[in-house]
Amino acid sequence: MTSLDTTSTEQRSAVSRLGGLAAKALTAPAVAPLIALVLTMTFFSVKSENFLQAQNLSLVLQQVMVVGVLAIGQTVVILTAGIDLSVGTVMAFGQIVMTKLAVANGVPALPAIAIGILACVAFGALNGGLVAGLKLPAFIVTLGTFNIAFALTHVYSDDLTFTGLPSELLFFGRTFELFGANVTYGVVFMLLLYALAWYVLTQTAAGRHVYAVGDNPQAARLTGIGINRVLFSVYVTAGLMSGFAAMLLVARTELGDPNAGQTTENLDSITAVVLGGTSLFGGRGSIIGTLIGAVIVGVFRNGLTLIGVQVIYQYLVTGVLVILAVSVDQLVRRRRL
């Protein structure tokens, strides 16, 4: 073989490798949501001159930080082909526990926060125990705990709203200036949680086990993965994220409201996961996609508000987006089979 032929072969091999890398990148779970986000932001930037202003984009992140944290827990549950319908009401219970302890019972802020988070983790452990231990359907279990958390929130609060909170409870609602915009510490906390979740899911054995259980639980069991342990842990994680979201909600609203998070946060967390490309059938998806999905929800709500669309139609658009995302997921799944 001549040197010219060798060079030509190497070039073809390099082009083939680049093509393979490009194809792999384009089929990554987070790519489609990212393209959708760019197109959505382009549309609203054309429709409203205020959309791309730094302060407005910061506002979008502030609006999605609570749902974004809930969606982390929802993602790990859905990756195992489960669902958690209770994350919003559990969050509501957690924030009432925090605020009532701090305001009505005189408990210092940090212990009040810790107890509120532990209350949410307890709900996660209950969900995980019933799903993993008793093999009950996740939909039914979390629908039940949805109602239990809803009832306990109103019973424990006596339907009162708690105000005059200690400054420590409001820390994550404080802001600092970045590129001409006021960014809350809560947004930074959310992004750190996503970074941690990405590391665990992609760089650790525990994360690989979550994917394996969702993809094929029987095969995962045969390889020695503890299915019950994985299932229990993902629901506990969802409870922990509800506790963190409760802390952020309190910081953002500066009160403890028993009516907060009762329905929309549950649905929005699932919406963010689905729009982010995570399959409802388990085993496929990415936490970065979930973050992008949460931002897509925030961008749509913010952009539609800026162009004068009524709130009720915003929910209509979100519903259509969810159906489209699930339809695409179903088509992809059928092709894989």
Side-chain angles (χ1 to χ4, degrees):
M1 182 180 293
T2 66
S3 60
L4 182 61
D5 290 335
T6 302
T7 303
S8 178
T9 301
E10 291 176 350
Q11 288 176 343
R12 285 196 298 270
S13 177
V15 170
S16 178
R17 287 196 298 270
L18 288 174
L21 290 173
K24 185 177 181 181
L26 289 174
T27 56
V31 171
L34 180 59
I35 294 172
L37 176 60
V38 171
L39 292 175
T40 303
M41 294 183 68
T42 301
F43 173 79
F44 285 121
S45 66
V46 172
K47 289 292 185 179
S48 173
E49 61 182 15
N50 296 323
F51 178 76
L52 286 180
Q53 291 183 2
Q55 189 58 43
N56 184 63
L57 295 178
S58 173
L59 179 61
V60 170
L61 291 177
Q62 292 175 41
Q63 291 171 337
V64 304
M65 68 181 184
V66 173
V67 169
V69 171
L70 289 177
I72 295 174
Q74 194 72 260
T75 299
V76 295
V77 170
I78 290 178
L79 282 172
T80 62
I83 193 78
D84 192 342
L85 302 177
S86 68
V87 291
T89 50
V90 169
M91 175 191 70
F93 179 64
Q95 54 104 20
I96 283 297
V97 170
M98 294 176 188
T99 53
K100 183 174 181 178
L101 287 175
V103 174
N105 302 116
V107 176
L110 293 182
I113 292 172
I115 293 171
I117 292 174
L118 288 175
C120 295
V121 171
F123 267 101
L126 175 61
N127 286 336
L130 293 174
V131 171
L134 297 183
K135 310 301 181 185
L136 299 180
F139 183 92
I140 299 301
V141 168
T142 57
L143 182 61
T145 51
F146 170 101
N147 287 287
I148 293 171
F150 177 86
L152 288 178
T153 298
H154 288 274
V155 170
Y156 184 67
S157 68
D158 292 321
D159 284 325
L160 298 176
T161 298
F162 299 97
T163 58
L165 305 180
S167 60
E168 293 87 349
L169 276 171
L170 308 179
F171 171 78
F172 286 106
R174 296 173 186 168
T175 63
F176 61 94
E177 188 171 332
L178 182 66
F179 301 120
N182 293 322
V183 180
T184 65
Y185 289 102
V187 169
V188 176
F189 182 68
M190 176 191 73
L191 295 176
L192 290 175
L193 287 178
Y194 269 94
L196 177 61
W198 173 85
Y199 178 81
V200 172
L201 285 173
T202 62
Q203 307 298 315
T204 69
R208 291 190 289 273
H209 291 173
V210 170
Y211 280 97
V213 169
D215 186 51
N216 192 326
Q218 297 305 322
R221 181 177 288 108
L222 291 175
T223 60
I225 295 174
I227 305 295
N228 291 343
R229 173 181 53 79
V230 172
L231 291 177
F232 181 77
S233 66
V234 297
Y235 285 96
V236 169
T237 299
L240 177 62
M241 292 303 115
S242 292
F244 287 150
M247 179 179 66
L248 296 181
L249 180 64
V250 170
R252 184 166 185 269
T253 60
E254 299 187 0
L255 50 83
D257 182 4
N259 296 310
Q262 303 294 359
T263 54
T264 57
E265 278 77 5
N266 287 311
L267 300 178
D268 282 353
S269 69
I270 298 173
T271 300
V273 176
V274 172
L275 291 180
T278 296
S279 173
L280 289 173
F281 302 97
R284 186 173 61 85
S286 73
I287 196 68
I288 300 302
T290 295
L291 175 59
I292 296 171
V295 175
I296 289 174
V297 174
V299 165
F300 261 99
R301 297 266 171 86
N302 177 269
L304 292 173
T305 299
L306 287 176
I307 64 177
V309 177
Q310 296 180 26
V311 173
I312 191 64
Y313 292 107
Q314 298 178 22
Y315 286 104
L316 187 151
V317 171
T318 303
V320 171
L321 288 174
V322 171
I323 293 173
L324 288 174
V326 173
S327 299
V328 170
D329 176 51
Q330 180 74 318
L331 291 173
V332 171
R333 184 170 180 267
R334 287 177 180 174
R335 289 185 64 182
R336 291 177 66 196
L337 296 176

